[in-house]
Amino acid sequence: MESQVIVVTSGKGGVGKTTTSANVGTGLAKLGKKVCLIDTDIGLRNLDVVMGLENRIVYNLVDVVEGSCRVKQALIRDKRHPGLYLMPSAQTRDKSAVSPGQMVKVIEHLKEQFEYIILDCPAGIEQGFQNAIAGADRALVVTTPEVSAIRDADRIIGLLEANGFKQMDLIINRLRTDMVRKGDMMSAQDVVDILAIPLIGIIPDDENVVIATNQGEPLVGSDSPAGQAYANVVLRVEGKEVPFINFEKGISFWTKVTGIFHKA
Amino acid sequence: MRHFFRRKSSCEIAKGRLKILLISDRVNCSPEMMELIKTDIAKVISKYMKIDAENMEIQISTVGGKSGKGAGGKHPVLYANIPILDVSAQEHAINLK
């Protein structure tokens, strides 16, 4: 099976890697793809809760690597979406429990049955990051329009390049158009200019993301701004050309005029 | 029309800071190394003219930021700002001989 292995990474913590992994994975499954999500954050697992699958964990990634169980036994099937599986991380171990070589082996095995393997990368650039990128051939770099997140994203892009990554796409998360308009937040274009990699998604700051996480059900495809934006990311991951949503629609003519002055 | 007289927006400030920050991050130049470069430059220039080494500044940046890719421009430039105290340079140079 021709499969794509995508790592979702950011450098900085708390910018939305796990949310993005959950939504992109779920979205691809909704399109009928066979998807495996892997939580590579050993010691701080989160993807299971965001996916609402925390009660069904028996075995995890470390068990697979250590040979305590077969790969199939560690995969949790998401009953809501046929074709969607999660391999959870271990909560009671640390990063050194897995090596990049072992990750590559597990991924090679999974490639036989999945079209997409999505790796949720831990924050930082240490071994957890090295493990997550080892078996991947493509990256989604998540950032928010903030100085600290952008700086870390730039560092991550440099490291991915050094590791031979050819395809890296940028997701700008938690954008607030009202603040951009006032000149108090960098626009998506500003961030793209700085990081200089292709843009694959702009996710507006949306309280529905918090609600969806509370419920353990990714909001991709739902009738909310972030749900729509994630649905478009999924289509772009699939290689389709989708125009970016203009979240500014509905703004009065006057605001647009003063907006021009702000830029001057 | 208050906007015309407004100070720099926080977005502009963020962009400016990032531009400088990312270049030094990318060049991977430690502050210690920058300090060494600075003292060496001061030494060389002092051979020819009297400078204010205390107040000189060096910084890595891009060419006017107009390289088409913003801070993503691939050619960083080292700027040195060296205050000259005495321009009667020749005299100084001759003394060295």
Side-chain angles (χ1 to χ4, degrees):
Chain A
M1 192 179 283
E2 186 65 35
S3 46
Q4 278 201 50
V5 187
I6 307 173
V7 60
V8 180
T9 182
S10 71
K12 188 177 177 296
V15 297
K17 285 180 295 295
T18 304
T19 309
T20 298
S21 305
N23 279 288
V24 171
T26 307
L28 285 165
K30 280 185 172 177
L31 292 179
K33 304 288 165 191
K34 293 203 77 183
V35 183
C36 180
L37 288 163
I38 307 181
D39 189 346
T40 65
D41 199 346
I42 300 164
L44 288 171
R45 75 171 168 220
N46 275 322
L47 189 53
D48 53 333
V49 246
V50 175
M51 295 293 296
L53 299 171
E54 70 273 20
N55 292 329
R56 297 187 36 215
I57 297 176
V58 182
Y59 294 110
N60 58 52
L61 177 62
V62 176
D63 294 325
V64 172
V65 164
E66 291 179 343
S68 319
C69 73
R70 281 174 286 120
V71 172
K72 216 175 173 181
Q73 289 176 295
L75 290 173
I76 303 169
R77 191 172 69 88
D78 190 328
K79 290 170 186 158
R80 297 159 297 189
H81 309 285
L84 182 60
Y85 290 78
L86 169 72
M87 182 175 290
S89 160
Q91 180 71 340
T92 53
R93 302 291 294 271
D94 68 80
K95 321 270 181 215
S96 58
V98 175
S99 74
Q102 289 168 323
M103 276 306 294
V104 173
K105 260 192 200 161
V106 174
I107 290 168
E108 284 307 317
H109 189 98
L110 291 168
K111 272 184 177 173
E112 290 166 16
Q113 24 173 340
F114 291 101
E115 292 168 276
Y116 283 97
I117 296 162
I118 296 174
L119 298 137
D120 183 21
C121 181
I125 52 173
E126 298 85 23
Q127 194 180 345
F129 170 76
Q130 298 297 339
N131 285 342
I133 67 165
D137 35 48
R138 159 170 198 196
L140 297 181
V141 179
V142 186
T143 188
T144 59
E146 289 158 78
V147 184
S148 52
I150 294 170
R151 181 192 199 178
D152 289 359
D154 187 72
R155 184 102 164 80
I156 286 293
I157 292 166
L159 289 170
L160 290 171
E161 274 172 354
N163 279 279
F165 275 74
K166 298 274 185 298
Q167 195 176 5
M168 295 175 275
D169 296 291
L170 183 67
I171 294 184
I172 301 169
N173 196 13
R174 252 178 258 144
L175 190 80
R176 286 185 54 179
T177 33
D178 56 328
M179 289 188 74
V180 173
R181 218 177 300 129
K182 278 188 266 171
D184 281 330
M185 184 177 269
M186 277 178 269
S187 69
Q189 190 57 53
D190 291 336
V191 181
V192 172
D193 284 347
I194 291 168
L195 292 175
I197 62 168
L199 181 67
I200 200 167
I202 304 170
I203 316 296
D205 191 30
D206 183 353
E207 58 188 31
N208 290 299
V209 173
V210 180
I211 297 169
T213 308
N214 288 344
Q215 294 167 339
E217 169 103 51
L219 86 178
V220 58
S222 76
D223 191 23
S224 61
Q228 291 299 308
Y230 270 123
N232 286 345
V233 173
V234 170
L235 292 172
R236 291 187 199 109
V237 168
E238 271 270 88
K240 305 210 167 56
E241 280 206 26
V242 188
F244 284 90
I245 308 171
N246 180 13
F247 296 106
E248 299 210 32
K249 66 185 164 199
I251 296 163
S252 72
F253 172 71
W254 179 245
T255 335
K256 274 187 183 155
V257 173
T258 50
I260 291 166
F261 288 141
H262 272 300
K263 279 177 193 158
Chain B
M1 295 295 103
R2 193 168 58 88
H3 310 311
F4 286 116
F5 308 104
R6 237 166 63 131
R7 58 191 165 79
K8 256 191 184 177
S9 72
S10 69
C11 166
E12 292 299 321
I13 295 168
K15 276 196 277 182
R17 289 175 60 209
L18 267 170
K19 239 174 214 174
I20 294 169
L21 188 64
L22 292 190
I23 288 154
S24 48
D25 277 2
R26 286 171 194 176
V27 173
N28 197 11
C29 200
S30 66
E32 294 81 41
M33 193 169 137
M34 290 295 277
E35 205 49 47
L36 288 175
I37 294 173
K38 191 171 143 180
T39 42
D40 277 0
I41 292 176
K43 247 185 234 165
V44 173
I45 306 290
S46 303
K47 278 188 188 172
Y48 303 97
M49 55 188 80
K50 207 172 171 193
I51 59 163
D52 180 3
E54 287 283 295
N55 288 311
M56 79 178 264
E57 281 172 14
I58 65 166
Q59 195 179 67
I60 294 169
S61 179
T62 44
V63 196
K66 293 271 180 193
S67 45
K69 277 177 107 185
K74 291 290 174 206
H75 298 290
V77 165
L78 180 73
Y79 280 111
N81 205 334
I82 311 170
I84 300 168
L85 293 176
D86 190 357
V87 205
S88 52
Q90 276 92 352
E91 214 180 302
H92 217 74
I94 291 160
N95 286 347
L96 279 169
K97 288 178 186 173

